[in-house]
Amino acid sequence: MKRLLRTYLPSSAIAFTIVILFNAVYNLILGNNDALSGVFVLELTGLIIFIQLVSVVCDHIPFQSERAYQITFFAAEYAIVIIASFVLNWTVLTISSFLYTSLLCVFIAVLIDRYFSAVHRHEADEINRLILSQDKKEEQTP
């Protein structure tokens, strides 16, 4: 449950929000004011849940490094997004659509990575602060 709340839920929320916002802006630029449908939102939610399930599977694979995990997970995520975008008719098979989807996928992956890096850095700083304060207390005790 802790991993769900600390990892999967925040990354899902970030991905969902960014895709919805990009989709809304993209459709406004194209003049498609009614393009954001309930079906798209449900399909996107299903896709994000599926990607999180892939993440759970990847979490149980003993990778030799964090970098190997990140590359493997991104490759799987990217393949899933590209295939889903064509199967679900979100995009057409053109170079510009492929580039847009690719850039969006990379942007979301980098944003989520930066988010978790900042969270982990903050947690490490907090732990170090607690250790330092405990060390100071021990030094002051006769």
Side-chain angles (χ1 to χ4, degrees):
M1 182 62 132
K2 184 177 178 181
R3 188 145 176 99
L4 172 72
L5 294 175
R6 290 179 46 94
T7 303
Y8 303 124
L9 192 59
S11 62
S12 296
I14 292 168
F16 183 83
T17 302
I18 296 300
V19 171
I20 292 295
L21 291 174
F22 267 71
N23 186 277
V25 169
Y26 182 74
N27 284 313
L28 284 174
I29 290 170
L30 294 178
N32 300 332
N33 295 334
D34 299 327
L36 192 61
S37 70
V39 172
F40 171 74
V41 170
L42 291 175
E43 289 172 343
L44 177 62
T45 302
L47 177 63
I48 290 172
I49 289 170
F50 181 70
I51 289 171
Q52 292 301 342
L53 291 174
V54 170
S55 178
V56 169
V57 170
C58 286
D59 287 346
H60 288 89
I61 298 172
F63 289 98
Q64 292 185 3
S65 68
E66 180 68 21
R67 181 60 66 200
Y69 167 83
Q70 289 174 337
I71 291 169
T72 302
F73 178 66
F74 179 75
E77 176 184 47
Y78 180 70
I80 291 166
V81 168
I82 293 297
I83 291 167
S85 67
F86 293 114
V87 169
L88 297 172
N89 293 318
W90 293 349
T91 60
V92 292
L93 192 55
T94 64
I95 300 242
S96 62
S97 294
F98 180 76
L99 287 174
Y100 173 78
T101 304
S102 298
L103 289 174
L104 183 57
C105 193
V106 168
F107 178 74
I108 291 170
V110 168
L111 187 66
I112 290 171
D113 182 63
R114 295 294 93 212
Y115 168 78
F116 283 113
S117 292
V119 167
H120 294 148
R121 189 172 32 257
H122 175 71
E123 288 172 348
D125 290 344
E126 183 65 22
I127 290 168
N128 289 333
R129 187 188 63 74
L130 291 172
I131 291 170
L132 186 60
S133 76
Q134 184 64 31
D135 288 346
K136 285 182 180 179
K137 283 182 184 178
E138 288 175 2
E139 287 175 2
Q140 292 174 355
T141 313

